[in-house]
Amino acid sequence: MSRGFVKEDDQEEVPLVPPRADLPTGTENFVTQKGMDSLLKEKEELLRKQENLDSSQEKEYRIAFNHLNAKLQLLNERIGSAKIVNSTKLPQDEVHFGATVTFKNVENNATQTFQLVGVDEANISQKKISFITPLAKALMHKKVGEQAILNLGERKSIFEILKIEY
């Protein structure tokens, strides 16, 4: 049927769903066990919301259902590609995925602590940074007492590793 014979009220909007945290093409989707548990919990919550939608208003129901379905599709793709890293099998004296690292900025002696986690787990307010960030990459494979250099264009920041915990 030609679109000319369709009422405008019957046209549904395509749900706009914000993308999940960026994971560059070709990058493994590493997660901690807590990160995987969080993804699975998020999926349960979305499915529960979908089940509890009010179906009395058909159009609103379809729009809400399609929106939740689109979010679930993105989440399922992320869960399907997730690779849980068991950090107990990694060298404990070196910074690797899952490590909580305390370091100081050599220039100003400011001390910071971050855990290196998956892209979906990253949350700066919880002191969790993604393993693909430049800072995390600079810290990788360092040991206590070693320095990590973060190149910031013409400037460099140097960090001394103070503590590594798993």
Coordinates of all heavy atoms in Angstrom, one line a residue, residues 3 13 17 25-27 32 34 42 45 51-52 58 61 74 80 83 99 114 131 161:
R3 N 2.2 4.9 0.9 CA 2.3 5.6 2.2 C 1.3 6.7 2.2 O 0.9 7.2 3.2 CB 3.7 6.2 2.4 CG 4.8 5.2 2.6 CD 4.6 4.3 3.8 NE 4.6 4.9 5.1 CZ 4.2 4.4 6.2 NH1 3.8 3.2 6.2 NH2 4.2 5.1 7.3
E13 N 7.5 5.8 15.6 CA 8.9 6.3 15.5 C 9.8 5.1 15.8 O 9.5 4.2 16.6 CB 9.1 7.3 16.6 CG 8.3 8.6 16.3 CD 8.6 9.6 17.4 OE1 9.7 9.7 17.9 OE2 7.7 10.4 17.7
V17 N 18.0 4.6 20.8 CA 18.6 4.0 22.0 C 20.1 4.4 22.0 O 20.8 4.2 21.0 CB 18.5 2.4 21.9 CG1 19.2 1.8 23.1 CG2 17.0 2.0 21.9
T25 N 36.4 -1.6 17.3 CA 36.4 -2.8 16.5 C 37.7 -3.6 16.7 O 38.8 -3.0 16.6 CB 36.2 -2.5 15.0 OG1 35.0 -1.7 14.9 CG2 36.1 -3.7 14.1
G26 N 37.6 -4.9 16.8 CA 38.7 -5.8 17.0 C 39.3 -5.9 18.4 O 40.2 -6.6 18.7
T27 N 38.7 -5.1 19.4 CA 39.1 -5.2 20.8 C 38.2 -6.2 21.5 O 37.0 -6.2 21.3 CB 38.9 -3.8 21.4 OG1 39.6 -2.8 20.7 CG2 39.3 -3.8 22.9
T32 N 35.1 -8.3 34.1 CA 35.4 -9.0 35.4 C 34.1 -9.8 35.7 O 33.1 -9.6 35.0 CB 35.6 -8.0 36.6 OG1 34.4 -7.2 36.8 CG2 36.8 -7.1 36.3
K34 N 32.3 -9.5 38.3 CA 31.3 -8.6 38.7 C 30.7 -7.8 37.6 O 29.5 -7.5 37.6 CB 31.9 -7.6 39.7 CG 32.1 -8.1 41.1 CD 32.7 -7.0 42.0 CE 32.9 -7.5 43.4 NZ 33.4 -6.4 44.3
E42 N 21.3 -6.3 34.6 CA 20.7 -5.3 33.7 C 19.7 -6.0 32.7 O 18.6 -5.5 32.5 CB 21.7 -4.6 32.9 CG 21.2 -3.5 32.1 CD 22.3 -2.8 31.3 OE1 23.5 -3.0 31.5 OE2 22.0 -2.0 30.4
E45 N 16.5 -6.9 34.5 CA 15.7 -5.7 34.8 C 15.0 -5.2 33.6 O 13.8 -4.9 33.6 CB 16.6 -4.6 35.3 CG 17.1 -4.8 36.8 CD 18.1 -3.8 37.2 OE1 18.4 -2.9 36.5 OE2 18.6 -4.0 38.3
E51 N 8.0 -7.1 30.6 CA 6.9 -7.9 31.0 C 5.8 -7.0 31.7 O 4.6 -7.4 31.7 CB 7.3 -9.0 32.0 CG 8.1 -10.1 31.4 CD 8.7 -11.1 32.4 OE1 8.4 -10.9 33.6 OE2 9.4 -12.0 32.0
N52 N 6.2 -6.0 32.4 CA 5.3 -5.2 33.2 C 4.8 -3.9 32.5 O 4.2 -3.1 33.1 CB 6.0 -4.8 34.5 CG 6.2 -5.9 35.4 OD1 5.4 -6.9 35.5 ND2 7.3 -5.9 36.1
E58 N -2.3 0.8 23.3 CA -1.6 0.0 22.3 C -0.4 0.7 21.7 O 0.7 0.1 21.6 CB -2.5 -0.5 21.2 CG -1.8 -1.5 20.2 CD -2.8 -2.0 19.1 OE1 -4.0 -1.9 19.3 OE2 -2.2 -2.4 18.1
Y61 N 2.3 1.2 24.2 CA 2.9 -0.1 24.6 C 3.9 -0.5 23.5 O 5.0 -0.9 23.9 CB 1.8 -1.1 24.7 CG 2.3 -2.5 24.8 CD1 2.7 -3.0 26.1 CD2 2.4 -3.4 23.7 CE1 3.2 -4.3 26.2 CE2 2.9 -4.7 23.8 CZ 3.3 -5.1 25.1 OH 3.8 -6.4 25.2
L74 N 21.1 -4.7 22.0 CA 22.5 -4.2 22.2 C 23.1 -4.9 23.4 O 24.3 -5.2 23.4 CB 22.5 -2.6 22.5 CG 22.1 -1.8 21.3 CD1 22.0 -0.3 21.7 CD2 23.1 -1.9 20.1
G80 N 27.0 -11.5 24.7 CA 27.5 -12.6 23.9 C 29.0 -12.5 23.5 O 29.7 -13.5 23.3
K83 N 34.1 -11.7 27.5 CA 35.1 -12.7 28.0 C 35.5 -12.4 29.4 O 36.2 -11.4 29.6 CB 36.3 -12.7 27.0 CG 36.0 -13.2 25.6 CD 37.3 -13.3 24.8 CE 37.2 -13.8 23.5 NZ 36.1 -13.9 22.8
A99 N 43.1 -5.4 37.9 CA 43.9 -4.9 39.0 C 43.4 -3.6 39.5 O 42.8 -2.8 38.8 CB 45.3 -4.8 38.6
F114 N 42.8 3.3 41.0 CA 41.8 2.9 40.0 C 41.8 1.4 39.8 O 42.9 0.8 39.8 CB 42.0 3.6 38.6 CG 41.7 5.1 38.6 CD1 42.7 6.0 38.5 CD2 40.4 5.6 38.7 CE1 42.5 7.4 38.5 CE2 40.1 6.9 38.7 CZ 41.2 7.8 38.6
F131 N 39.8 -0.6 30.5 CA 41.2 -1.1 30.2 C 41.7 -0.5 28.8 O 42.9 -0.6 28.5 CB 41.2 -2.6 30.1 CG 40.5 -3.2 28.9 CD1 41.2 -3.7 27.8 CD2 39.1 -3.3 28.9 CE1 40.5 -4.2 26.8 CE2 38.4 -3.9 27.9 CZ 39.1 -4.3 26.8
I161 N 54.2 3.5 40.3 CA 53.2 2.5 40.8 C 53.6 2.2 42.3 O 54.7 1.9 42.6 CB 53.3 1.1 40.0 CG1 53.2 1.4 38.5 CG2 52.3 0.1 40.5 CD1 52.0 2.0 38.0

